[in-house]
Amino acid sequence: PKTGGTTSNGNHDGKGNNSNDGGGGGNDDGDGNGGSTRTSTGREHLKDKIVVADACAGIGPFAVPLTSQYDNVEVHANDLNPISYQYLKQNDKLNKCSNLHTYNM
């Protein structure tokens, strides 16, 4: 999937919240790939590192895809339920997730 910022629709509320002000999004440097490239392993490689905290991760429906498809995404996934945590660790291993840190706290 192509990543990048939003396009400007001309809306500006006078508070610096223009949809094209560069806040939070696009890494488009004009090379046409929207700030991402695909590696030889088929994973997306984003130009900027992203760190995500998944507080109620369950078995990993958000954490696992993020860390199995993107190289520069680091996810700290926690779930209090010990059974969910075991499945989270299993899904981490089965999906060969990179940069997934699991916690049972």
Side-chain angles (χ1 to χ4, degrees), residues 52-58 60-64 66 75-79 88 100 103:
V52 177
D54 191 353
C56 301
F62 299 107
V64 170
L66 281 175
V75 177
H76 296 269
N78 179 65
D79 201 275
L88 176 61
L100 176 57
Y103 308 92

Side-chain angles (χ1 to χ4, degrees), residues 76-93:
H76 296 269
N78 179 65
D79 201 275
L80 184 61
N81 184 324
I83 297 170
S84 293
Y85 174 68
Q86 292 301 319
Y87 282 111
L88 176 61
K89 289 193 327 183
Q90 183 178 354
N91 284 333
D92 175 13
K93 190 177 289 188

Side-chain angles (χ1 to χ4, degrees), residues 24-82:
N27 293 321
D28 196 355
D29 56 4
D31 61 3
N33 67 11
S36 68
T37 56
R38 191 163 298 277
T39 64
S40 62
T41 61
R43 293 178 181 228
E44 287 280 327
H45 181 79
L46 304 174
K47 291 183 180 180
D48 297 326
K49 182 175 181 179
I50 298 172
V51 179
V52 177
D54 191 353
C56 301
I59 62 171
F62 299 107
V64 170
L66 281 175
T67 55
S68 65
Q69 295 176 20
Y70 297 95
D71 283 333
N72 283 12
V73 177
E74 179 178 342
V75 177
H76 296 269
N78 179 65
D79 201 275
L80 184 61
N81 184 324

